[in-house]
Amino acid sequence: MEFEEYMKIDSSYLANTGHVVEVKSSNTSQKFFCGWGALKHGVPQGSFLGPLLFKIYVNDLPLRINSVSEPILFADDASALISSRSFEDLWSANFSSHVIKWLAANNLVLSLDIMNIMKFITKNSSLSTLLIGYKERYIEETVNTKFLGLQIDNHRNWKNHVEEMSPKLSGACYAVMSVVHISNTDTLKSIY
């Protein structure tokens, strides 16, 4: 397939796309709708092409920040690992200015509300706060976060992940044990 054919598919997918907002009241069964609006930017949420278009759009981000960090792009999510022996070295790497320049060049907006920052530390590390921000707003520092399905914490132990997964695995084991006598191996694997 030629590039022009791909572009026709791409433009037909994105052209004349609309959106509507539905708000449900938590204490009643009442729903409120706004009228249909044209989608001027972005991709419909939940679309199968969304992650692919995201990867195409941000494919040059790693090239821009690779000298100061290790970028990780997965589906429609982007993360960066920055390592340094001291906080002073972090600031001299000037990571945030590289990202801000790239966002501006690509007409993207930095959404600090959904971002977090985590320092991986040892037990002997000092408890200093790391402030990284933009336009007088700062990224929230956290001690644990979910990253590609894993619960990780700033001490790099598995306690939070094990606590999250234990009830799920217990339920799966119970489901398998309940039908082990009446099912074959393939069915049991499917249930698990």
Side-chain angles (χ1 to χ4, degrees):
M1 190 180 283
E2 297 293 320
F3 180 74
E4 289 79 19
E5 292 177 59
Y6 282 116
M7 292 307 295
K8 286 179 188 174
I9 292 170
D10 196 32
S11 64
S12 69
Y13 173 72
L14 298 174
N16 302 319
T17 304
H19 66 93
V20 66
V21 176
E22 174 184 340
V23 178
K24 295 179 184 176
S25 175
S26 61
N27 49 358
T28 68
S29 60
Q30 204 168 15
K31 296 180 185 179
F32 303 95
F33 296 92
C34 76
W36 280 92
L39 189 62
K40 297 177 184 173
H41 304 287
V43 178
Q45 186 174 356
S47 66
F48 68 94
L49 277 180
L52 173 64
L53 293 174
F54 174 79
K55 287 286 244 192
I56 292 169
Y57 196 72
V58 301
N59 69 356
D60 66 328
L61 175 61
L63 299 173
R64 302 287 180 216
I65 65 171
N66 218 7
S67 63
V68 295
S69 69
E70 183 179 335
I72 300 169
L73 302 177
F74 181 76
D76 62 353
D77 195 20
S79 299
L81 297 176
I82 307 167
S83 64
S84 174
R85 296 219 180 266
S86 70
F87 290 122
E88 292 79 22
D89 291 344
L90 277 177
W91 294 124
S92 66
N94 216 0
F95 170 76
S96 57
S97 71
H98 289 283
V99 172
I100 291 166
K101 286 178 188 174
W102 182 86
L103 290 168
N106 287 281
N107 296 320
L108 293 172
V109 177
L110 190 62
S111 181
L112 296 177
D113 297 333
I114 61 171
M115 296 176 71
N116 60 45
I117 187 168
M118 184 167 51
K119 293 181 304 199
F120 292 104
I121 58 175
T122 63
K123 291 179 182 178
N124 299 331
S125 297
S126 62
L127 296 174
S128 57
T129 303
L130 181 59
L131 294 175
I132 295 180
Y134 179 64
K135 293 187 177 178
E136 299 187 26
R137 293 189 57 220
Y138 293 94
I139 301 171
E140 179 184 344
E141 186 173 345
T142 185
V143 295
N144 61 42
T145 191
K146 195 166 201 170
F147 179 71
L148 300 178
L150 296 172
Q151 283 287 340
I152 56 174
D153 72 6
N154 61 347
H155 292 289
R156 293 168 288 197
N157 71 44
W158 294 98
K159 182 180 176 191
N160 292 331
H161 187 68
V162 169
E163 286 176 0
E164 181 183 327
M165 294 304 297
S166 291
K168 294 176 184 178
L169 291 172
S170 177
C173 288
Y174 177 77
V176 169
M177 293 302 290
S178 298
V179 295
V180 71
H181 305 293
I182 58 172
S183 301
N184 62 30
T185 305
D186 290 335
T187 303
L188 293 172
K189 286 179 184 177
S190 174
I191 292 170
Y192 183 74

